[in-house]
Amino acid sequence: TVVKTKAEVEELLRRVIANMDNFFGATIEVPISVEVTDERKLKRKLGIPLGTRDSQSMLILGVAINKKKKYSIILENGAPRISLIATFAHELTHIWQYIHWDSNKNFPECPKDKRLLIYEGMAKWVEIQYLYLIGETTVAAREERITRGRQDEYGIGFCIYESQYPLSRDA
């Protein structure tokens, strides 16, 4: 199930963008470039030590970038199709946030060091909910279980977000 070509990656991106609008009303109408690179180069760009690995998550490493309103997603290559889809849902949520939120205006009372809980919590929620909505219930349930056990912005933020917006597990 490994996605091997740039055309396959771009088709999956288009499909996930359309579904984000259909499922959540999260319209994304800006150009987004996608770069697929190896794990070492991606970690170097992100400043992550090369030996670091999130052994719990099934997802590949990816990042959404907003550089002067030019949006891009950088992904680790060699991804299974379902991992790529979930990563796109997560990273596209960040692009939607970049387009629609000004954290100083939207979250003025939230301390700056806690805002990552909001951003990552919502993105993990969308990623997992997206998997349930496309019928990938086993993968979604596994990622939900793992995320609930995490003690970082992803896990804690997800639990806070999900307490306000319960997941729909029935596709």
Side-chain angles (χ1 to χ4, degrees):
T1 65
V2 171
V3 177
K4 296 179 183 176
T5 69
K6 184 147 176 88
E8 288 176 289
V9 169
E10 289 172 352
E11 176 54 33
L12 284 176
L13 175 63
R14 281 190 293 278
R15 188 172 306 139
V16 175
I17 288 171
N19 284 340
M20 295 280 286
D21 191 18
N22 291 333
F23 296 163
F24 308 115
T27 303
I28 300 171
E29 296 178 325
V30 296
I32 301 169
S33 66
V34 177
E35 178 185 344
V36 181
T37 188
D38 66 58
E39 178 184 14
R40 295 178 67 84
K41 286 180 185 173
L42 181 54
K43 285 184 175 179
R44 208 172 297 123
K45 281 185 179 187
L46 297 174
I48 298 172
L50 294 178
T52 306
R53 193 93 173 123
D54 181 356
S55 60
Q56 294 180 321
S57 180
M58 63 104 188
L59 297 179
I60 60 165
L61 189 59
V63 64
I65 298 173
N66 173 10
K67 201 173 212 177
K68 298 180 182 177
K69 299 194 183 235
K70 289 189 178 190
Y71 304 98
S72 61
I73 298 175
I74 304 173
L75 304 165
E76 181 182 331
N77 65 7
R81 186 175 186 279
I82 193 61
S83 294
L84 189 60
I85 289 168
T87 300
F88 271 143
H90 184 104
E91 300 308 335
L92 286 168
T93 301
H94 289 313
I95 289 175
W96 183 90
Q97 292 165 338
Y98 298 153
I99 295 166
H100 296 283
W101 287 356
D102 175 338
S103 61
N104 293 320
K105 289 180 184 173
N106 290 82
F107 315 112
E109 295 178 19
C110 182
K112 288 183 180 183
D113 65 330
K114 300 295 183 200
R115 291 178 185 170
L116 203 52
L117 290 169
I118 297 168
Y119 283 88
E120 294 300 347
M122 180 185 183
K124 278 307 279 187
W125 183 92
V126 168
E127 169 191 320
I128 293 166
Q129 183 63 75
Y130 187 96
L131 290 167
Y132 279 119
L133 291 170
I134 63 170
E136 292 288 347
T137 56
T138 302
V139 177
R142 178 179 180 272
E143 196 61 29
E144 179 184 354
R145 180 181 45 76
I146 290 167
T147 301
R148 286 186 187 284
R150 292 177 69 158
Q151 295 301 308
D152 59 6
E153 337 24 69
Y154 297 87
I156 296 167
F158 168 79
C159 290
I160 293 168
Y161 199 87
E162 203 269 339
S163 73
Q164 297 298 309
Y165 304 96
L167 291 168
S168 175
R169 292 173 185 84
D170 302 319

